[in-house]
Amino acid sequence: MGEDQPARRRDPDVQPAVTTGALARRLGVSPTTLRSWDRRYGVGPAVRSGGRHRRWAPRDVAMLEEMCRLTSAGVPPAEAATAAKAGAGRLHLGADRSAQSRTPPARSRAAGALPLGDVRQECRGLARAAVRLDAPAVADQLTSLVDRHGLVVAWNEVMVPTLHAIGRKWESSGDRYVEVEHLLSWHISGVLHRATEPVGPGTPASAGKGAVVLACVPGEQHSLPLEALNAGLLELGLPTRMFGAAVPAEALTAAVRRLGPMAVVLWAQTRSSADRPLARLIAATSWGVKGARNRPAVLLIGPGWAGHPVQSTLRPLGLRDALDALAGMYDEFGVGPRSRPPAAL
């Protein structure tokens, strides 16, 4: 008997166990999620104390941590449970992509699942991490997306569909998911800021001459798509001046006259915020000596500009179109460094 006692102390399954509530707080999921995983997929504690009460031993906790890691990476819960229970540790997603391309990804039937539809597998992992408010997982996945696929694909095919799904869920559920949208938007903004570095001081572009000015129209607070365009331009090595949300008309026109930009991009999310008189004013703004006056190209982006066109302006349909149009202007005039051709985006 004396020799058996040390062996039991070394056994991880007989170390002090934790309750479902404590484990849920540790993993960043709800207790209901843990109970659902146990009921649906058999990912539960090996031993229950006091009848039906769950007590999670260290080995059970390790299994649940693996389950969370896999579902955050976009693995369907049933597959993640199988891998976690088998002690797979790591699932080689790259080896399974050919099979996934032949088989449509499984849709989650769990209550509260986001209405994602047919989207890339990465959207599902990002959505699950965002709904759990798992900030480290959201940040890691966003950084990995940009590194693997490039900014345009990451934005168009993962970030935007996930944001739209959360927005639809928010609209149908009152304010229940507003914190999810805010957390995801914050981290998307962060990864866009980190994606590229601006043109450094001491270069000709650092003076702002010939740069692209990006601004939201007055009263417009939704600057995230404009941040994506700014990051895409910097990724191409093109100079920008980003002014962000709700730029007053007087400040914007003054900045255009001071900088003499190659182009001005105006973002409007809603028709009520789309300021067509301001767009016409910017398009007519000129600078330079008499006889050699210049005007900026004006690009109107965002759904708010839909409807009647504004004379002397361009209307790109999305991030890729806007990048191609602006890169083409620099190619035409032979201005500005290009670190990567548009075809690579």
Side-chain angles (χ1 to χ4, degrees), residues 79 93-106 118-122:
E79 295 179 21
L93 296 175
D96 295 336
R97 280 178 184 159
S98 60
Q100 291 173 0
S101 65
R102 295 189 298 270
T103 304
D118 295 324
V119 293
R120 292 179 68 108
Q121 189 76 4
E122 293 94 336

Side-chain angles (χ1 to χ4, degrees), residues 36 40-41 77 106-113 128:
S36 174
R40 295 185 181 195
Y41 311 117
R107 299 187 183 184
S108 173
R109 306 282 184 187
R128 291 187 185 105

